[in-house]
């Protein structure tokens, strides 16, 4: 058992897709077998874009059920709802006062909004609330509150983890050694996980495979993968095929080699390759899907797990707040 603390937050804005899973959550789940792990549903982070309580609550259950069903090791992990730990609101306020505004101006997500507004000729801050603008401070508070060493995230979140480290360094320089310095750990490059149309799998392209679709929907989606028009007996380049590129993430080495050879030697058509891919992904997801469905119809069990997690998270967080309070307020 390593003594490093692993931490990640998952924003409850809908069912994760396979690209999200491979990009961030798979390595978190694997590491939870050998590390103290802090995992939470970042419901406060959803509030800058989701303005409907029922939706936030529903998505929060989905994410909790998702991460449990995929095998987060609860012997080593705590799982909770971000908003259930009061210390987060406190640390957020404290960190506001050591965070340069210029750092927030550089955040990719904020800059993307500015660019979008410039392109449409709108006011630069159109649609930007302070939750969005200060998003990286709240995320830094998450990371620093629980003394995280390693933060597994998708590449899109790397900058935010670097900001958390920067903020911790500013703070430590001003007030002494209060915070541990976190490091991002990036999973499979999302650009390497193609969606149904061959472009990077992304919600914004509407080409995703959700982790927990019913089996029939999963089959339909996989059968819809876009291919070229090569015939079954023509040699095909596996590295240009979405089917093979997805298969690689779920199959073992011998299976991968086998499909590769079938492609290269013109021994398989796309339709049959899709069936093999479907069988593989489906068998990978079958047991977790059953557990997911069980949990979603027993949300009282989720409530218990989350309440227990919140109590344990609070105990850790309050110690951090004590250190920060003493350092900043005497
Ligand atoms: N911002 C992350 C995302 O959008 C979610 C998140 C919130 C997070 N707090 C975190 C991730 C702390 C890692 C650590 O995916």
């Amino acid at each position: 058992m390593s003594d490093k603390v692993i931490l990640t937050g998952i924003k409850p804005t809908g069912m994760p897709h396979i690209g999200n899973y491979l990009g961030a959550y798979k390595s978190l789940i694997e590491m939870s077998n050998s590390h103290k792990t802090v995992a939470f549903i970042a419901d406060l982070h959803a509030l800058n874009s989701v303005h409907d309580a029922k939706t936030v609550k529903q998505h929060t259950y989905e994410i909790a059920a998702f991460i449990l069903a995929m095998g987060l090791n609860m012997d080593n992990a705590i799982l909770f709802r971000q908003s259930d730990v009061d210390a987060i609101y406190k640390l957020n306020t404290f960190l506001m006062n050591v965070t340069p505004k210029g750092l927030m101006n550089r955040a990719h997500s904020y800059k993307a909004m500015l660019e979008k507004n410039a392109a449409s000729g709108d006011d630069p801050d159109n649609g930007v609330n302070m939750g969005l603008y200060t998003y990286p401070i709240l995320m830094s508070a998450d990371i620093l509150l629980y003394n995280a060493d390693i933060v597994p995230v998708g590449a899109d979140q790397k900058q935010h983890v670097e900001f958390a480290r920067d903020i911790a360094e500013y703070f430590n320089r001003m007030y002494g050694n209060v915070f541990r310095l976190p490091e991002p750990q990036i999973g499979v490059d999302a650009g390497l996980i193609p969606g149904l149309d061959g472009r990077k799998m992304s919600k914004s392209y509407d080409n995703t495979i959700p982790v927990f679709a019913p089996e029939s929907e999963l089959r339909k989606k996989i059968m819809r993968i876009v291919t070229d028009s090569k015939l079954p007996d023509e040699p095909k380049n596996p590295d240009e095929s979405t089917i093979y590129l997805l298969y690689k993430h779920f199959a073992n080495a011998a299976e991968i080699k086998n499909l590769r050879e079938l492609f290269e030697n013109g021994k398989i058509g796309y339709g049959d390759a899709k069936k093999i891919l479907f069988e593989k992904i489906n068998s990978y997801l079958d047991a977790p899907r059953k557990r997911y469905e069980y949990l979603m119809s027993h949300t009282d069990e989720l409530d218990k797990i989350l309440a227990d997690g919140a109590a344990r998270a609070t105990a850790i967080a309050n110690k951090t707040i004590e250190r920060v309070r003493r350092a900043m307020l005497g």
Side-chain angles (χ1 to χ4, degrees), residues 7-9 11 40 42 45 135 139 142-143 151 153 157:
L7 172 143
T8 215
K11 199 159 62 159
F40 58 91
H45 275 110
Y135 187 106
M139 182 158 156
D142 287 331
I143 293 170
V151 185
V153 283
Q157 295 296 315

Side-chain angles (χ1 to χ4, degrees), residues 126-192:
N126 184 39
V128 178
N129 56 38
M130 291 305 284
L132 172 68
Y133 188 63
T134 61
Y135 187 106
I137 305 181
L138 180 59
M139 182 158 156
S140 301
D142 287 331
I143 293 170
L144 303 179
L145 192 53
Y146 303 105
N147 313 307
D149 294 290
I150 301 173
V151 185
V153 283
D156 64 318
Q157 295 296 315
K158 179 164 181 260
Q159 186 197 38
H160 287 150
V161 182
E162 289 165 354
F163 281 5
R165 190 184 174 93
D166 291 342
I167 292 172
E169 280 175 335
Y170 298 142
F171 192 102
N172 287 351
R173 219 173 297 138
M174 249 179 273
Y175 290 109
N177 204 11
V178 170
F179 291 126
R180 212 180 276 186
L181 302 182
E183 268 175 55
Q185 180 179 291
I186 310 305
V188 176
D189 180 351
L192 299 178

Side-chain angles (χ1 to χ4, degrees), residues 114 116-126:
L114 295 184
K116 199 173 130 217
N117 286 332
S120 57
D122 286 313
D123 182 83
D125 281 328
N126 184 39

Side-chain angles (χ1 to χ4, degrees), residues 14 35 77 83 85 131 157 185 250 255 274 308 317:
H35 292 79
S83 63
V85 179
Q157 295 296 315
Q185 180 179 291
F250 294 94
E255 291 166 333
K274 285 177 185 179
D308 174 60

Side-chain angles (χ1 to χ4, degrees), residues 177-213:
N177 204 11
V178 170
F179 291 126
R180 212 180 276 186
L181 302 182
E183 268 175 55
Q185 180 179 291
I186 310 305
V188 176
D189 180 351
L192 299 178
I193 304 160
L196 301 178
D197 60 359
R199 290 186 290 175
K200 163 184 166 177
M201 190 180 290
S202 162
K203 249 196 195 162
S204 50
Y205 295 147
D206 195 21
N207 65 358
T208 65
I209 303 174
V211 173
F212 291 130

